[in-house]
Amino acid sequence: MKINYPDGRIFNSQPSKSSLHTTNAKKKLIFGDRGMTLEEEINESNKYYRAHDIAVIYKKPTPIQIVKVDYPKRSKAVIREAYFRQASTTDYNGVYNGYYVDFEAKETKNKNTFPLKNFHQHQIDHLKMCQKQGGICFVIIKYVELKRYFVMPADEIFIHWDAQFDGAKSIQLKDIEKGSIEIKADYNPTLPYINAVQQLIESGKEKK
Amino acid sequence: MKINYPDGRIFNSQPSKSSLHTTNAKKKLIFGDRGMTLEEEINESNKYYRAHDIAVIYKKPTPIQIVKVDYPKRSKAVIREAYFRQASTTDYNGVYNGYYVDFEAKETKNKNTFPLKNFHQHQIDHLKMCQKQGGICFVIIKYVELKRYFVMPADEIFIHWDAQFDGAKSIQLKDIEKGSIEIKADYNPTLPYINAVQQLIESGKEKK
């Protein structure tokens, strides 16, 4: 199977805050998905899904508060002072087969517990609002060291999030295994998470 | 009817490129929707729709290519060199009552023709892809001088866009009137475009 890496994708993809420090990001990508961040894996998968008319899902650009812009003559505008802003939403959304899809992606180097501090209140609130509107809402969790990936439905996330008020600080791997759909990294797409989305849609229909 | 302007909305909303030049943006907002840009009107409406559990729709942040970031000690990161990037998508998307909603907003000071150069190929392509996935896709057009607003379904836009190959440079107001749903500026929400979205959904069901 041919792995088709479109040219210039680094310049087409919004750099994450973390990738700003990564001088060898391009090199890493050339050698395939090993060492790719979860964000890169999802972006690759989304390109595949768009190219094959399966889904139209994008990562939202990082919100920036722009303070100062120079407009040099005969040259494009240069932002000279700007700050990272807190997002109001999750990072990813789009449309799959008539369904609104909304999710956040989180990775951990832990081998068991997944710390709840990876989530922010605004992300939980946003997922709740989107779910109320009939969206398919979830989180993709990557255990970097274990090379395991889980699609955890928003309802499960909410249960663990609320458990913080009883003192919980993290989710145990066994609870993630129980409450999620595990997906395997692959080629074309790198991370076939839409299969899990389809399962979520079907299980939602069964409930009704 | 009480007009509830939430505090600090200027700092909560992503500044558009054009608003960077607008030093009196805050003042303008205080005096209501007169003089608001279409973007401001839609952002206000989206806040209303979210606050009332009607729809969860956001403007996407402007995509920025970040080149240089300073990390001062005991202070937040400062972006020192960055550039505006071409977006791959439209500006607005979200979920309404189970439907994926995707649109672009355009305003003109013309009193009749709406120039097609207001659209970009990537926006047309994106609307086509989202429509194929079952999304509700359209453009909100504002005639600034006429104070008239139209929700034009993507299918109509595509027809006029393709007419460029026969030499068309713009859409006539009479064709916009014929092919769109006109909406009126109001309070709460400032621009009740979801009513038009509901009509598009219902007319789509009739076709099936």
Side-chain angles (χ1 to χ4, degrees):
Chain A
M1 195 184 276
K2 196 180 157 231
I3 305 167
N4 180 22
Y5 285 129
D7 288 340
R9 64 183 154 182
I10 291 207
F11 302 100
N12 286 331
S13 69
Q14 175 75 9
S16 68
K17 287 182 210 180
S18 62
S19 75
L20 294 170
H21 305 279
T22 313
T23 51
N24 63 341
K26 193 167 186 175
K27 200 173 162 190
K28 271 165 58 183
L29 285 174
I30 288 163
F31 292 104
D33 65 295
R34 260 164 262 268
M36 270 174 131
T37 65
L38 179 57
E39 181 182 325
E40 289 163 344
E41 290 169 310
I42 294 171
N43 288 347
E44 279 300 301
S45 306
N46 286 344
K47 276 184 200 167
Y48 177 88
Y49 287 136
R50 288 195 300 270
H52 292 77
D53 277 339
I54 294 166
V56 183
I57 296 168
Y58 281 92
K59 180 174 189 295
K60 292 186 186 175
T62 306
I64 303 287
Q65 177 75 42
I66 298 165
V67 175
K68 186 166 173 271
V69 185
D70 284 351
Y71 297 90
K73 279 180 191 169
R74 282 181 290 275
S75 182
K76 60 183 175 175
V78 191
I79 298 160
R80 286 295 179 199
E81 185 186 350
Y83 299 91
F84 294 106
R85 289 175 52 236
Q86 175 84 301
S88 315
T89 67
T90 51
D91 272 354
Y92 301 88
N93 77 351
V95 58
Y96 160 65
N97 198 21
Y99 290 92
Y100 174 79
V101 171
D102 196 295
F103 63 100
E104 190 59 44
K106 301 287 184 190
E107 53 186 21
T108 182
K109 287 182 179 168
N110 291 1
K111 289 177 184 173
N112 180 10
T113 54
F114 183 83
L116 284 161
K117 70 173 195 289
N118 278 295
F119 297 108
H120 302 288
Q121 187 66 51
H122 75 269
Q123 294 165 340
I124 302 292
D125 294 342
H126 178 76
L127 288 170
K128 276 188 183 160
M129 286 177 73
C130 290
Q131 185 148 303
K132 221 165 165 179
Q133 285 298 326
I136 309 300
C137 303
F138 55 93
V139 174
I140 301 183
I141 291 172
K142 176 180 182 180
Y143 277 89
V144 177
E145 300 294 330
L146 306 178
K147 296 188 173 65
R148 292 182 71 180
Y149 303 81
F150 298 93
V151 171
M152 189 173 227
D155 279 335
E156 283 287 325
I157 297 289
F158 301 154
I159 291 169
H160 292 287
W161 182 257
D162 291 344
Q164 286 183 104
F165 301 105
D166 298 328
K169 294 219 179 307
S170 57
I171 317 177
Q172 302 297 312
L173 175 57
K174 67 173 169 49
D175 290 326
I176 290 178
E177 288 173 329
K178 205 163 60 184
S180 314
I181 299 167
E182 185 162 6
I183 51 176
K184 303 279 183 196
D186 200 346
Y187 298 107
N188 291 341
T190 315
L191 198 61
Y193 71 91
I194 287 289
N195 302 349
V197 172
Q198 182 59 38
Q199 282 184 57
L200 292 180
I201 292 167
E202 284 164 14
S203 68
K205 279 182 191 158
E206 279 167 26
K207 277 184 209 159
K208 278 172 193 169
Chain B
M1 194 183 276
K2 196 181 156 227
I3 305 167
N4 181 21
Y5 286 128
D7 287 340
R9 64 183 156 185
I10 291 209
F11 303 101
N12 286 331
S13 69
Q14 175 74 8
S16 68
K17 287 182 211 179
S18 63
S19 76
L20 294 170
H21 305 280
T22 312
T23 51
N24 62 341
K26 193 167 186 176
K27 201 173 161 191
K28 273 164 58 182
L29 285 173
I30 289 162
F31 291 104
D33 64 297
R34 261 163 261 267
M36 270 177 133
T37 65
L38 179 56
E39 180 182 323
E40 288 163 345
E41 290 168 312
I42 294 171
N43 288 346
E44 279 299 300
S45 306
N46 287 344
K47 275 183 201 169
Y48 177 90
Y49 287 137
R50 289 195 300 270
H52 291 77
D53 277 338
I54 294 167
V56 183
I57 297 168
Y58 281 93
K59 181 175 188 294
K60 291 185 185 176
T62 306
I64 303 287
Q65 177 73 43
I66 297 165
V67 176
K68 186 165 173 271
V69 185
D70 284 352
Y71 297 90
K73 280 181 191 167
R74 280 182 289 276
S75 183
K76 60 183 173 174
V78 190
I79 298 161
R80 286 296 180 198
E81 184 186 350
Y83 300 90
F84 294 105
R85 289 174 51 234
Q86 174 83 301
S88 314
T89 66
T90 49
D91 272 354
Y92 301 88
N93 78 351
V95 59
Y96 160 65
N97 197 20
Y99 291 91
Y100 174 79
V101 170
D102 196 295
F103 63 100
E104 190 58 45
K106 302 286 184 190
E107 53 185 19
T108 181
K109 288 183 176 167
N110 291 0
K111 289 178 183 171
N112 179 11
T113 55
F114 183 83
L116 284 161
K117 69 171 196 291
N118 277 296
F119 297 108
H120 302 288
Q121 187 66 51
H122 75 267
Q123 294 166 340
I124 302 292
D125 294 342
H126 178 76
L127 288 170
K128 276 189 184 160
M129 287 176 72
C130 290
Q131 186 148 302
K132 222 166 163 177
Q133 286 298 326
I136 310 300
C137 303
F138 55 92
V139 174
I140 301 182
I141 292 171
K142 175 180 183 180
Y143 277 88
V144 178
E145 300 294 329
L146 305 178
K147 296 188 171 66
R148 292 181 71 181
Y149 303 80
F150 298 93
V151 171
M152 190 175 226
D155 279 335
E156 283 287 325
I157 297 289
F158 301 154
I159 292 168
H160 292 286
W161 181 256
D162 292 344
Q164 286 183 104
F165 302 106
D166 298 329
K169 295 221 179 304
S170 58
I171 317 179
Q172 303 296 311
L173 175 57
K174 68 173 168 48
D175 291 325
I176 290 178
E177 288 172 330
K178 203 163 63 187
S180 312
I181 299 165
E182 185 162 6
I183 52 176
K184 303 279 182 195
D186 201 347
Y187 299 107
N188 291 340
T190 315
L191 198 61
Y193 70 91
I194 286 290
N195 301 350
V197 171
Q198 181 60 35
Q199 282 185 57
L200 291 179
I201 291 167
E202 284 165 13
S203 68
K205 278 182 191 158
E206 279 167 26
K207 276 184 206 158
K208 277 171 194 168

